[in-house]
Amino acid sequence: MNKNDYIIRLEEEKDYAVTENLVRESFWNVYRPGCMEHYLLHCLRNDKDFVPELDFVMEKDGDIIGQNVFVRAHISSDDGRKIPIMTMGPICITPELKRKGYGKILLDYTIGKAKEMGAGALCFEGNIDFYGKSGFTFASDFGIRYHGLPEDADASFFLCKELADGYLDGITGEYAPPDGYLISEEDAEEFDKKYPPKEKLVLPGQIF
């Protein structure tokens, strides 16, 4: 990969339809038959917790090949405080360019921008094999629990990264995804009707 063959910039309104289609192509049949992430992104941009200054796209040869967004969140600390953090995603790279290093470049760049904006920590649902390379670890290592998950359940999907050293020192508590991530399957189905039909498949590794 040529290190100069891409740019990362803020998303503009004229990009929205292209970015949503990219997200649809990237997530289709990955976590469920079909996907809802393109509708989620469509909704998040109007959410009160969305951070427009951290709404990024990655371009190569004039085409949008990746994107990532950030949303304000908090940890409900066991001592009663609300600890401000951020979460992120959907994040994706176009399917034909996955596993070529672009995803990590986009991730590291956008996390750096979140840190510059003052985010103290990130909590996120993802695969440790990929996100661990960018400094994420299991949230349980910080004493942070995922809302509604039984104590003995597998929480290896729930990751955390401190952006400010020591930001989570002495804090234990619970994280719940911001309300903006709670979208309806029916609404997502309706939204998807504006796209060309794609076959929904039940595949190994899906979680929904």
Short mmCIF file of all heavy atoms in Angstrom, two decimals, residues 71-137:
data_model
loop_
_atom_site.label_atom_id
_atom_site.label_comp_id
_atom_site.label_asym_id
_atom_site.label_seq_id
_atom_site.Cartn_x
_atom_site.Cartn_y
_atom_site.Cartn_z
N VAL A 71 -19.50 8.95 19.26
CA VAL A 71 -20.71 9.34 19.98
C VAL A 71 -20.35 9.49 21.46
O VAL A 71 -19.63 8.64 22.01
CB VAL A 71 -21.82 8.29 19.79
CG1 VAL A 71 -23.06 8.65 20.60
CG2 VAL A 71 -22.18 8.14 18.30
N ARG A 72 -20.85 10.55 22.09
CA ARG A 72 -20.60 10.73 23.53
C ARG A 72 -21.35 9.67 24.33
O ARG A 72 -22.49 9.32 24.01
CB ARG A 72 -21.04 12.12 23.98
CG ARG A 72 -20.18 13.23 23.43
CD ARG A 72 -20.60 14.60 23.94
NE ARG A 72 -19.87 15.65 23.23
CZ ARG A 72 -20.24 16.18 22.06
NH1 ARG A 72 -21.37 15.75 21.48
NH2 ARG A 72 -19.52 17.10 21.48
N ALA A 73 -20.70 9.16 25.37
CA ALA A 73 -21.29 8.12 26.21
C ALA A 73 -20.81 8.36 27.64
O ALA A 73 -20.13 9.35 27.92
CB ALA A 73 -20.87 6.74 25.71
N HIS A 74 -21.16 7.47 28.55
CA HIS A 74 -20.65 7.60 29.92
C HIS A 74 -20.62 6.23 30.60
O HIS A 74 -21.28 5.29 30.17
CB HIS A 74 -21.50 8.58 30.75
CG HIS A 74 -22.89 8.09 31.03
ND1 HIS A 74 -23.96 8.36 30.20
CD2 HIS A 74 -23.38 7.32 32.05
CE1 HIS A 74 -25.04 7.80 30.69
NE2 HIS A 74 -24.72 7.16 31.81
N ILE A 75 -19.81 6.17 31.62
CA ILE A 75 -19.80 5.01 32.52
C ILE A 75 -20.56 5.40 33.78
O ILE A 75 -20.30 6.46 34.36
CB ILE A 75 -18.36 4.60 32.88
CG1 ILE A 75 -17.61 4.12 31.63
CG2 ILE A 75 -18.35 3.52 33.96
CD1 ILE A 75 -16.11 4.05 31.81
N SER A 76 -21.53 4.59 34.15
CA SER A 76 -22.24 4.80 35.43
C SER A 76 -21.38 4.18 36.52
O SER A 76 -21.38 2.96 36.72
CB SER A 76 -23.62 4.15 35.38
OG SER A 76 -24.42 4.75 34.38
N SER A 77 -20.63 5.03 37.20
CA SER A 77 -19.68 4.56 38.19
C SER A 77 -20.41 4.00 39.42
O SER A 77 -21.49 4.47 39.78
CB SER A 77 -18.78 5.72 38.60
OG SER A 77 -17.93 5.37 39.67
N ASP A 78 -19.79 3.02 40.05
CA ASP A 78 -20.41 2.40 41.23
C ASP A 78 -20.52 3.38 42.39
O ASP A 78 -21.28 3.14 43.33
CB ASP A 78 -19.60 1.17 41.66
CG ASP A 78 -19.71 0.03 40.65
OD1 ASP A 78 -20.74 -0.04 39.94
OD2 ASP A 78 -18.77 -0.78 40.55
N ASP A 79 -19.79 4.50 42.34
CA ASP A 79 -19.91 5.49 43.41
C ASP A 79 -20.92 6.59 43.06
O ASP A 79 -21.00 7.61 43.74
CB ASP A 79 -18.54 6.09 43.76
CG ASP A 79 -17.91 6.85 42.59
OD1 ASP A 79 -18.62 7.10 41.58
OD2 ASP A 79 -16.71 7.17 42.68
N GLY A 80 -21.68 6.36 41.99
CA GLY A 80 -22.78 7.28 41.66
C GLY A 80 -22.46 8.34 40.63
O GLY A 80 -23.35 9.08 40.21
N ARG A 81 -21.21 8.45 40.22
CA ARG A 81 -20.85 9.46 39.23
C ARG A 81 -21.13 8.97 37.81
O ARG A 81 -21.22 7.76 37.57
CB ARG A 81 -19.36 9.80 39.35
CG ARG A 81 -18.99 10.56 40.60
CD ARG A 81 -17.49 10.81 40.64
NE ARG A 81 -16.72 9.57 40.79
CZ ARG A 81 -15.44 9.44 40.43
NH1 ARG A 81 -14.78 10.46 39.90
NH2 ARG A 81 -14.81 8.28 40.62
N LYS A 82 -21.25 9.92 36.89
CA LYS A 82 -21.30 9.59 35.47
C LYS A 82 -19.97 10.04 34.87
O LYS A 82 -19.67 11.23 34.86
CB LYS A 82 -22.47 10.29 34.77
CG LYS A 82 -23.81 9.65 35.06
CD LYS A 82 -24.90 10.22 34.15
CE LYS A 82 -26.19 9.43 34.33
NZ LYS A 82 -27.26 9.96 33.44
N ILE A 83 -19.19 9.09 34.42
CA ILE A 83 -17.86 9.39 33.89
C ILE A 83 -17.96 9.56 32.37
O ILE A 83 -18.27 8.60 31.65
CB ILE A 83 -16.87 8.25 34.21
CG1 ILE A 83 -16.93 7.87 35.71
CG2 ILE A 83 -15.47 8.62 33.77
CD1 ILE A 83 -16.55 8.96 36.66
N PRO A 84 -17.72 10.76 31.84
CA PRO A 84 -17.86 10.97 30.40
C PRO A 84 -16.79 10.21 29.61
O PRO A 84 -15.60 10.27 29.95
CB PRO A 84 -17.67 12.48 30.23
CG PRO A 84 -17.68 13.07 31.59
CD PRO A 84 -17.30 11.98 32.54
N ILE A 85 -17.23 9.49 28.60
CA ILE A 85 -16.32 8.80 27.69
C ILE A 85 -16.91 8.97 26.29
O ILE A 85 -17.87 9.71 26.09
CB ILE A 85 -16.17 7.30 28.04
CG1 ILE A 85 -17.52 6.58 27.96
CG2 ILE A 85 -15.52 7.12 29.40
CD1 ILE A 85 -17.42 5.07 27.95
N MET A 86 -16.35 8.28 25.32
CA MET A 86 -16.96 8.19 23.99
C MET A 86 -17.04 6.73 23.56
O MET A 86 -16.32 5.87 24.10
CB MET A 86 -16.17 8.99 22.96
CG MET A 86 -16.32 10.49 23.08
SD MET A 86 -15.56 11.35 21.66
CE MET A 86 -15.65 13.04 22.24
N THR A 87 -17.91 6.47 22.60
CA THR A 87 -17.91 5.21 21.89
C THR A 87 -17.78 5.55 20.41
O THR A 87 -17.72 6.73 20.05
CB THR A 87 -19.17 4.38 22.19
OG1 THR A 87 -19.02 3.08 21.60
CG2 THR A 87 -20.43 5.04 21.68
N MET A 88 -17.68 4.53 19.57
CA MET A 88 -17.50 4.82 18.15
C MET A 88 -18.19 3.76 17.30
O MET A 88 -18.59 2.71 17.78
CB MET A 88 -16.02 4.90 17.80
CG MET A 88 -15.29 3.59 17.94
SD MET A 88 -13.55 3.75 17.48
CE MET A 88 -13.08 2.03 17.63
N GLY A 89 -18.31 4.09 16.03
CA GLY A 89 -18.86 3.16 15.07
C GLY A 89 -20.31 3.47 14.73
O GLY A 89 -20.98 4.21 15.44
N PRO A 90 -20.76 2.93 13.58
CA PRO A 90 -20.06 1.94 12.78
C PRO A 90 -18.78 2.48 12.16
O PRO A 90 -18.70 3.64 11.78
CB PRO A 90 -21.08 1.57 11.70
CG PRO A 90 -22.02 2.73 11.63
CD PRO A 90 -22.08 3.29 13.01
N ILE A 91 -17.78 1.59 12.07
CA ILE A 91 -16.53 1.87 11.37
C ILE A 91 -16.36 0.78 10.32
O ILE A 91 -16.63 -0.40 10.60
CB ILE A 91 -15.33 1.91 12.34
CG1 ILE A 91 -14.01 2.07 11.57
CG2 ILE A 91 -15.29 0.71 13.26
CD1 ILE A 91 -12.79 2.27 12.45
N CYS A 92 -15.95 1.16 9.12
CA CYS A 92 -15.76 0.13 8.11
C CYS A 92 -14.82 0.59 7.01
O CYS A 92 -14.54 1.78 6.86
CB CYS A 92 -17.09 -0.30 7.50
SG CYS A 92 -17.82 0.93 6.38
N ILE A 93 -14.33 -0.39 6.28
CA ILE A 93 -13.56 -0.21 5.04
C ILE A 93 -14.31 -0.98 3.96
O ILE A 93 -14.88 -2.05 4.22
CB ILE A 93 -12.12 -0.76 5.20
CG1 ILE A 93 -11.34 0.06 6.24
CG2 ILE A 93 -11.39 -0.78 3.86
CD1 ILE A 93 -11.01 1.48 5.84
N THR A 94 -14.30 -0.46 2.75
CA THR A 94 -14.99 -1.14 1.65
C THR A 94 -14.50 -2.59 1.53
O THR A 94 -13.30 -2.86 1.71
CB THR A 94 -14.78 -0.37 0.32
OG1 THR A 94 -15.57 -0.96 -0.69
CG2 THR A 94 -13.33 -0.39 -0.12
N PRO A 95 -15.40 -3.54 1.30
CA PRO A 95 -15.03 -4.96 1.34
C PRO A 95 -13.81 -5.32 0.49
O PRO A 95 -12.96 -6.11 0.91
CB PRO A 95 -16.28 -5.67 0.83
CG PRO A 95 -17.40 -4.76 1.23
CD PRO A 95 -16.85 -3.36 1.09
N GLU A 96 -13.67 -4.72 -0.69
CA GLU A 96 -12.56 -5.12 -1.56
C GLU A 96 -11.20 -4.63 -1.07
O GLU A 96 -10.16 -5.07 -1.58
CB GLU A 96 -12.79 -4.65 -3.01
CG GLU A 96 -13.04 -3.17 -3.18
CD GLU A 96 -14.52 -2.82 -3.16
OE1 GLU A 96 -15.32 -3.54 -2.51
OE2 GLU A 96 -14.88 -1.81 -3.80
N LEU A 97 -11.18 -3.74 -0.08
CA LEU A 97 -9.90 -3.24 0.45
C LEU A 97 -9.67 -3.66 1.91
O LEU A 97 -8.76 -3.15 2.57
CB LEU A 97 -9.82 -1.72 0.32
CG LEU A 97 -9.68 -1.20 -1.12
CD1 LEU A 97 -9.74 0.32 -1.15
CD2 LEU A 97 -8.38 -1.69 -1.76
N LYS A 98 -10.49 -4.58 2.41
CA LYS A 98 -10.27 -5.06 3.78
C LYS A 98 -8.97 -5.87 3.86
O LYS A 98 -8.52 -6.45 2.87
CB LYS A 98 -11.46 -5.91 4.23
CG LYS A 98 -12.69 -5.07 4.58
CD LYS A 98 -13.83 -5.93 5.09
CE LYS A 98 -15.02 -5.05 5.46
NZ LYS A 98 -16.20 -5.83 5.84
N ARG A 99 -8.40 -5.89 5.06
CA ARG A 99 -7.18 -6.63 5.35
C ARG A 99 -5.98 -6.14 4.54
O ARG A 99 -5.10 -6.90 4.20
CB ARG A 99 -7.38 -8.15 5.17
CG ARG A 99 -8.25 -8.73 6.28
CD ARG A 99 -8.60 -10.17 6.05
NE ARG A 99 -9.62 -10.33 5.05
CZ ARG A 99 -10.92 -10.11 5.25
NH1 ARG A 99 -11.35 -9.70 6.43
NH2 ARG A 99 -11.80 -10.29 4.29
N LYS A 100 -5.98 -4.86 4.20
CA LYS A 100 -4.83 -4.27 3.50
C LYS A 100 -4.20 -3.13 4.31
O LYS A 100 -3.36 -2.40 3.80
CB LYS A 100 -5.27 -3.75 2.12
CG LYS A 100 -5.72 -4.86 1.18
CD LYS A 100 -5.99 -4.32 -0.20
CE LYS A 100 -6.56 -5.39 -1.13
NZ LYS A 100 -5.63 -6.51 -1.35
N GLY A 101 -4.63 -2.98 5.57
CA GLY A 101 -4.01 -1.98 6.43
C GLY A 101 -4.76 -0.66 6.54
O GLY A 101 -4.46 0.16 7.41
N TYR A 102 -5.75 -0.44 5.66
CA TYR A 102 -6.46 0.84 5.70
C TYR A 102 -7.29 0.99 6.98
O TYR A 102 -7.41 2.09 7.52
CB TYR A 102 -7.38 0.98 4.47
CG TYR A 102 -6.64 1.15 3.17
CD1 TYR A 102 -6.52 0.09 2.28
CD2 TYR A 102 -6.06 2.37 2.83
CE1 TYR A 102 -5.83 0.24 1.07
CE2 TYR A 102 -5.38 2.53 1.63
CZ TYR A 102 -5.26 1.46 0.76
OH TYR A 102 -4.58 1.61 -0.42
N GLY A 103 -7.87 -0.11 7.45
CA GLY A 103 -8.72 -0.04 8.64
C GLY A 103 -7.96 0.45 9.85
O GLY A 103 -8.44 1.31 10.60
N LYS A 104 -6.76 -0.07 10.05
CA LYS A 104 -5.97 0.33 11.22
C LYS A 104 -5.53 1.80 11.09
O LYS A 104 -5.52 2.54 12.08
CB LYS A 104 -4.74 -0.56 11.40
CG LYS A 104 -3.99 -0.26 12.69
CD LYS A 104 -2.90 -1.26 12.97
CE LYS A 104 -2.32 -1.07 14.37
NZ LYS A 104 -1.86 0.29 14.65
N ILE A 105 -5.17 2.22 9.87
CA ILE A 105 -4.80 3.63 9.66
C ILE A 105 -5.97 4.54 10.02
O ILE A 105 -5.82 5.54 10.74
CB ILE A 105 -4.37 3.85 8.20
CG1 ILE A 105 -3.03 3.17 7.94
CG2 ILE A 105 -4.28 5.34 7.89
CD1 ILE A 105 -2.64 3.13 6.48
N LEU A 106 -7.16 4.20 9.53
CA LEU A 106 -8.36 4.99 9.81
C LEU A 106 -8.66 5.00 11.31
O LEU A 106 -8.94 6.05 11.90
CB LEU A 106 -9.54 4.42 9.02
CG LEU A 106 -10.90 5.07 9.29
CD1 LEU A 106 -10.90 6.54 8.86
CD2 LEU A 106 -12.01 4.31 8.56
N LEU A 107 -8.59 3.82 11.93
CA LEU A 107 -8.87 3.70 13.36
C LEU A 107 -7.91 4.56 14.18
O LEU A 107 -8.33 5.35 15.02
CB LEU A 107 -8.77 2.23 13.77
CG LEU A 107 -8.99 1.92 15.24
CD1 LEU A 107 -10.41 2.23 15.66
CD2 LEU A 107 -8.65 0.45 15.54
N ASP A 108 -6.62 4.40 13.93
CA ASP A 108 -5.63 5.11 14.74
C ASP A 108 -5.74 6.62 14.55
O ASP A 108 -5.60 7.39 15.51
CB ASP A 108 -4.22 4.62 14.39
CG ASP A 108 -3.97 3.19 14.85
OD1 ASP A 108 -4.77 2.67 15.65
OD2 ASP A 108 -2.99 2.58 14.38
N TYR A 109 -5.97 7.06 13.31
CA TYR A 109 -6.10 8.49 13.04
C TYR A 109 -7.32 9.07 13.77
O TYR A 109 -7.21 10.12 14.43
CB TYR A 109 -6.23 8.72 11.54
CG TYR A 109 -6.45 10.18 11.18
CD1 TYR A 109 -5.36 11.04 10.99
CD2 TYR A 109 -7.73 10.71 11.04
CE1 TYR A 109 -5.55 12.38 10.67
CE2 TYR A 109 -7.93 12.04 10.71
CZ TYR A 109 -6.84 12.87 10.54
OH TYR A 109 -7.05 14.19 10.23
N THR A 110 -8.45 8.41 13.66
CA THR A 110 -9.68 8.96 14.25
C THR A 110 -9.64 8.91 15.77
O THR A 110 -10.12 9.82 16.43
CB THR A 110 -10.92 8.24 13.69
OG1 THR A 110 -10.83 6.83 13.91
CG2 THR A 110 -11.06 8.48 12.19
N ILE A 111 -9.04 7.86 16.33
CA ILE A 111 -8.88 7.81 17.78
C ILE A 111 -7.99 8.97 18.25
O ILE A 111 -8.25 9.60 19.28
CB ILE A 111 -8.29 6.46 18.23
CG1 ILE A 111 -9.32 5.35 18.09
CG2 ILE A 111 -7.80 6.52 19.67
CD1 ILE A 111 -8.77 3.96 18.37
N GLY A 112 -6.94 9.25 17.48
CA GLY A 112 -6.08 10.38 17.82
C GLY A 112 -6.83 11.68 17.85
O GLY A 112 -6.61 12.53 18.72
N LYS A 113 -7.75 11.87 16.91
CA LYS A 113 -8.57 13.09 16.87
C LYS A 113 -9.52 13.15 18.08
O LYS A 113 -9.77 14.23 18.63
CB LYS A 113 -9.35 13.16 15.56
CG LYS A 113 -8.47 13.41 14.36
CD LYS A 113 -7.77 14.76 14.47
CE LYS A 113 -6.92 15.10 13.27
NZ LYS A 113 -6.21 16.38 13.41
N ALA A 114 -10.07 11.98 18.47
CA ALA A 114 -10.94 11.95 19.66
C ALA A 114 -10.15 12.34 20.91
O ALA A 114 -10.63 13.07 21.77
CB ALA A 114 -11.56 10.56 19.83
N LYS A 115 -8.92 11.87 20.98
CA LYS A 115 -8.05 12.23 22.11
C LYS A 115 -7.79 13.73 22.11
O LYS A 115 -7.84 14.38 23.17
CB LYS A 115 -6.74 11.44 22.02
CG LYS A 115 -5.77 11.73 23.15
CD LYS A 115 -4.54 10.84 23.06
CE LYS A 115 -3.59 11.13 24.23
NZ LYS A 115 -2.44 10.19 24.25
N GLU A 116 -7.50 14.30 20.94
CA GLU A 116 -7.27 15.75 20.84
C GLU A 116 -8.48 16.55 21.31
O GLU A 116 -8.34 17.64 21.85
CB GLU A 116 -6.94 16.13 19.39
CG GLU A 116 -5.55 15.75 18.94
CD GLU A 116 -5.33 16.06 17.46
OE1 GLU A 116 -6.08 16.88 16.89
OE2 GLU A 116 -4.41 15.47 16.87
N MET A 117 -9.68 15.98 21.08
CA MET A 117 -10.90 16.67 21.51
C MET A 117 -11.17 16.53 23.01
O MET A 117 -12.13 17.08 23.53
CB MET A 117 -12.11 16.12 20.75
CG MET A 117 -12.45 16.93 19.52
SD MET A 117 -14.13 16.58 18.95
CE MET A 117 -15.11 17.48 20.14
N GLY A 118 -10.35 15.74 23.68
CA GLY A 118 -10.48 15.63 25.12
C GLY A 118 -11.17 14.38 25.63
O GLY A 118 -11.44 14.26 26.82
N ALA A 119 -11.46 13.43 24.73
CA ALA A 119 -12.06 12.17 25.19
C ALA A 119 -11.08 11.44 26.09
O ALA A 119 -9.91 11.25 25.73
CB ALA A 119 -12.45 11.29 24.01
N GLY A 120 -11.55 11.02 27.28
CA GLY A 120 -10.66 10.36 28.23
C GLY A 120 -10.52 8.87 28.01
O GLY A 120 -9.50 8.26 28.34
N ALA A 121 -11.57 8.26 27.44
CA ALA A 121 -11.56 6.82 27.20
C ALA A 121 -12.61 6.47 26.15
O ALA A 121 -13.55 7.24 25.93
CB ALA A 121 -11.83 6.05 28.50
N LEU A 122 -12.43 5.32 25.54
CA LEU A 122 -13.38 4.78 24.57
C LEU A 122 -13.85 3.42 25.04
O LEU A 122 -13.02 2.58 25.42
CB LEU A 122 -12.72 4.61 23.19
CG LEU A 122 -12.44 5.82 22.34
CD1 LEU A 122 -11.60 5.40 21.13
CD2 LEU A 122 -13.73 6.46 21.87
N CYS A 123 -15.14 3.17 25.00
CA CYS A 123 -15.69 1.82 25.16
C CYS A 123 -16.39 1.45 23.86
O CYS A 123 -17.02 2.30 23.22
CB CYS A 123 -16.68 1.75 26.33
SG CYS A 123 -15.88 1.70 27.95
N PHE A 124 -16.29 0.18 23.49
CA PHE A 124 -16.68 -0.20 22.14
C PHE A 124 -16.89 -1.70 22.09
O PHE A 124 -16.23 -2.44 22.80
CB PHE A 124 -15.55 0.24 21.20
CG PHE A 124 -15.70 -0.17 19.77
CD1 PHE A 124 -16.61 0.47 18.94
CD2 PHE A 124 -14.91 -1.16 19.24
CE1 PHE A 124 -16.74 0.11 17.61
CE2 PHE A 124 -15.02 -1.52 17.91
CZ PHE A 124 -15.94 -0.89 17.09
N GLU A 125 -17.80 -2.13 21.23
CA GLU A 125 -17.99 -3.57 21.01
C GLU A 125 -17.23 -3.97 19.75
O GLU A 125 -17.50 -3.43 18.67
CB GLU A 125 -19.47 -3.89 20.84
CG GLU A 125 -20.29 -3.63 22.10
CD GLU A 125 -21.33 -2.56 21.89
OE1 GLU A 125 -22.31 -2.78 21.18
OE2 GLU A 125 -21.15 -1.46 22.45
N GLY A 126 -16.28 -4.88 19.87
CA GLY A 126 -15.48 -5.25 18.71
C GLY A 126 -14.64 -6.49 18.98
O GLY A 126 -14.70 -7.10 20.04
N ASN A 127 -13.83 -6.83 17.99
CA ASN A 127 -12.99 -8.03 18.03
C ASN A 127 -11.59 -7.65 18.54
O ASN A 127 -10.89 -6.86 17.90
CB ASN A 127 -12.91 -8.62 16.62
CG ASN A 127 -12.15 -9.93 16.58
OD1 ASN A 127 -11.23 -10.15 17.36
ND2 ASN A 127 -12.54 -10.80 15.68
N ILE A 128 -11.19 -8.25 19.65
CA ILE A 128 -9.90 -7.92 20.26
C ILE A 128 -8.74 -8.21 19.31
O ILE A 128 -7.70 -7.54 19.35
CB ILE A 128 -9.72 -8.66 21.61
CG1 ILE A 128 -8.50 -8.14 22.38
CG2 ILE A 128 -9.62 -10.16 21.38
CD1 ILE A 128 -8.61 -6.75 22.88
N ASP A 129 -8.90 -9.19 18.41
CA ASP A 129 -7.80 -9.55 17.50
C ASP A 129 -7.43 -8.36 16.60
O ASP A 129 -6.26 -8.18 16.27
CB ASP A 129 -8.18 -10.75 16.63
CG ASP A 129 -8.32 -12.02 17.45
OD1 ASP A 129 -7.77 -12.06 18.57
OD2 ASP A 129 -8.98 -12.96 16.99
N PHE A 130 -8.43 -7.57 16.21
CA PHE A 130 -8.15 -6.39 15.38
C PHE A 130 -7.89 -5.17 16.26
O PHE A 130 -6.85 -4.50 16.13
CB PHE A 130 -9.32 -6.10 14.43
CG PHE A 130 -9.15 -4.83 13.63
CD1 PHE A 130 -8.23 -4.77 12.60
CD2 PHE A 130 -9.88 -3.69 13.93
CE1 PHE A 130 -8.05 -3.59 11.86
CE2 PHE A 130 -9.70 -2.51 13.21
CZ PHE A 130 -8.79 -2.47 12.16
N TYR A 131 -8.80 -4.88 17.17
CA TYR A 131 -8.71 -3.62 17.93
C TYR A 131 -7.60 -3.65 18.97
O TYR A 131 -7.09 -2.60 19.37
CB TYR A 131 -10.07 -3.29 18.56
CG TYR A 131 -11.09 -2.95 17.50
CD1 TYR A 131 -12.01 -3.89 17.05
CD2 TYR A 131 -11.10 -1.69 16.90
CE1 TYR A 131 -12.91 -3.59 16.04
CE2 TYR A 131 -12.00 -1.38 15.88
CZ TYR A 131 -12.90 -2.34 15.46
OH TYR A 131 -13.77 -2.04 14.46
N GLY A 132 -7.19 -4.85 19.38
CA GLY A 132 -6.07 -4.94 20.31
C GLY A 132 -4.79 -4.36 19.73
O GLY A 132 -3.94 -3.84 20.47
N LYS A 133 -4.66 -4.40 18.41
CA LYS A 133 -3.46 -3.85 17.75
C LYS A 133 -3.40 -2.33 17.87
O LYS A 133 -2.36 -1.73 17.62
CB LYS A 133 -3.43 -4.27 16.28
CG LYS A 133 -3.30 -5.77 16.08
CD LYS A 133 -3.52 -6.16 14.62
CE LYS A 133 -3.50 -7.67 14.46
NZ LYS A 133 -4.00 -8.08 13.12
N SER A 134 -4.51 -1.72 18.23
CA SER A 134 -4.55 -0.26 18.40
C SER A 134 -4.72 0.12 19.87
O SER A 134 -5.15 1.23 20.19
CB SER A 134 -5.68 0.34 17.56
OG SER A 134 -5.38 0.20 16.18
N GLY A 135 -4.40 -0.83 20.77
CA GLY A 135 -4.35 -0.49 22.19
C GLY A 135 -5.61 -0.76 22.99
O GLY A 135 -5.66 -0.45 24.17
N PHE A 136 -6.63 -1.35 22.35
CA PHE A 136 -7.82 -1.72 23.12
C PHE A 136 -7.53 -2.97 23.93
O PHE A 136 -6.75 -3.83 23.52
CB PHE A 136 -9.01 -2.00 22.19
CG PHE A 136 -9.70 -0.77 21.69
CD1 PHE A 136 -9.24 -0.10 20.57
CD2 PHE A 136 -10.82 -0.27 22.34
CE1 PHE A 136 -9.86 1.04 20.10
CE2 PHE A 136 -11.46 0.88 21.87
CZ PHE A 136 -10.99 1.53 20.76
N THR A 137 -8.19 -3.07 25.08
CA THR A 137 -8.14 -4.28 25.88
C THR A 137 -9.55 -4.58 26.37
O THR A 137 -10.49 -3.84 26.08
CB THR A 137 -7.15 -4.13 27.05
OG1 THR A 137 -7.02 -5.40 27.71
CG2 THR A 137 -7.63 -3.09 28.06
#
